[in-house]
Amino acid sequence: MRDALGPTDWVRGPGDDAAALPQGDGHLLVAGEAVWPDLVAADPRAAGAAAVVANVNDIAAMGGRPLGLVDHVVAPAETARALLEGLAWAARLYDAPILGGHLTVREGEPHLSAAIVGRAERLLAAAHAVPEQTVLFACAPEGTLRSDFPFVVSLSARAALVAGDVEVLADLAESGAAVAAKDASMAGALGSLAMLLEPARCGASVDLDRMPLPARVPLVEYVHAFHSFGFWLLAPPEGAPRCVRAFEERGLAAAALGETDGTGRLRVRRAGHEVDLVDLGRAGITNLGPRART
């Protein structure tokens, strides 16, 4: 797939959570998401909310703040209305206005995607990963696991707080306490960490016994799920305590789980046992970064 797009770089994309275009003393951020068709069909109102969550999280993971969204809906009339209601509800919570979009009302399988613009004063970019950084994970302790889809959701439980929750990442970027981040998205928490490490071919060892998680969500399901609020961060060691405090001050959970290294291998530990998940020097996840060794 990377060959279809041709060569690029880590400021203009692809490969990070959003494309970053230099603008004044910061960057304009642009991102987009297509919502899983099965969710669109089964629960269109939740799918509309998910379109906002996924896009806002992409902006936050780059150290940015959202400016607004556009949506793209193709669906029967009743489904389209539910999709738009979900979009509008979540957009109000995040103070990320829907600026426009496209609507096609027709019978057949429904489809939903959305795009977002934001702004970052200082980027949290995967290219900033280097050895000897602290690896942290932050989450909403109110999260619950849906029974029908692998999603850990906390949007309703933190409805009055979510706009400020995502701004923590921009604050940490601007202070220099964190240098890179990625949200836990459809690749699951561990897959998303691999994606964060891939561009720089960094390795890391993380201790899952230290991973913050909601009380009612088992760890195995948790690390494979999409999170409405779940972020990996890389920080210089001296910045890690500040990162943890910033999340905890909002009632969120955060912890340092390990550190990056130069091995290119992502390893996880649990109950004293460590296993290799992927050697990023030999195997790609997105294959949008430098080519792996053969």
Side-chain angles (χ1 to χ4, degrees):
M1 292 294 183
R2 63 177 278 168
D3 295 334
L5 296 169
T8 184
D9 61 62
W10 293 112
V11 173
R12 295 175 180 86
D16 233 319
D17 284 295
L21 308 176
Q23 183 190 59
D25 57 355
H27 288 83
L28 183 70
L29 303 176
V30 184
E33 294 283 349
V35 180
W36 197 6
D38 291 352
L39 178 63
V40 176
D43 191 345
R45 195 175 191 280
V52 176
V53 171
N55 274 290
V56 169
N57 284 352
D58 282 347
I59 296 301
M62 293 292 291
R65 294 178 169 86
L67 298 176
L69 299 106
V70 294
D71 58 71
H72 317 96
V73 176
V74 179
E78 185 176 349
T79 302
R81 175 171 290 278
L83 290 168
L84 294 172
E85 288 174 348
L87 281 156
W89 174 73
R92 287 192 295 270
L93 296 186
Y94 282 105
D95 194 22
I98 297 175
L99 306 174
H102 173 85
L103 170 63
T104 297
V105 176
R106 71 169 181 85
E107 295 304 312
E109 184 181 8
H111 298 277
L112 170 65
S113 61
I116 191 168
V117 292
R119 179 169 172 81
E121 302 302 319
R122 192 170 184 177
L123 292 178
L124 295 175
H128 296 162
V130 296
E132 300 183 1
Q133 291 169 336
T134 302
V135 180
L136 304 105
F137 190 76
C139 75
E142 299 92 338
T144 58
L145 183 69
R146 283 187 62 133
S147 61
D148 51 354
F149 292 97
F151 302 155
V152 175
V153 294
S154 55
L155 189 58
S156 293
R158 295 188 64 84
L161 302 170
V162 293
D165 290 347
V166 292
E167 288 207 353
V168 173
L169 286 99
D171 293 340
L172 293 173
E174 291 161 10
S175 71
V179 297
K182 187 168 285 289
D183 63 306
S185 57
M186 289 300 289
L190 294 178
S192 298
L193 176 57
M195 291 168 64
L196 175 58
L197 299 172
E198 181 182 18
R201 300 295 178 195
C202 268
S205 177
V206 296
D207 187 347
L208 296 182
D209 289 327
R210 296 161 60 185
M211 190 169 192
L213 73 164
R216 293 179 289 172
V217 182
L219 179 64
V220 172
E221 286 86 348
Y222 187 68
V223 297
H224 287 93
F226 170 93
H227 297 233
S228 62
F229 189 94
F231 290 90
W232 291 101
L233 296 93
L234 303 182
E238 65 275 14
R242 182 171 181 175
C243 292
V244 172
R245 286 197 304 272
F247 289 109
E248 290 181 342
E249 286 169 359
R250 291 200 58 81
L252 298 163
L257 307 188
E259 67 176 21
T260 57
D261 55 47
T263 65
R265 294 182 295 115
L266 173 56
R267 291 102 60 209
V268 296
R269 296 191 308 279
R270 189 181 185 193
H273 300 284
E274 183 173 276
V275 297
D276 283 14
L277 286 188
V278 61
D279 183 347
L280 294 166
R282 298 185 180 278
I285 305 299
T286 67
N287 294 309
L288 291 171
R291 293 189 183 275
R293 298 190 305 269
T294 57

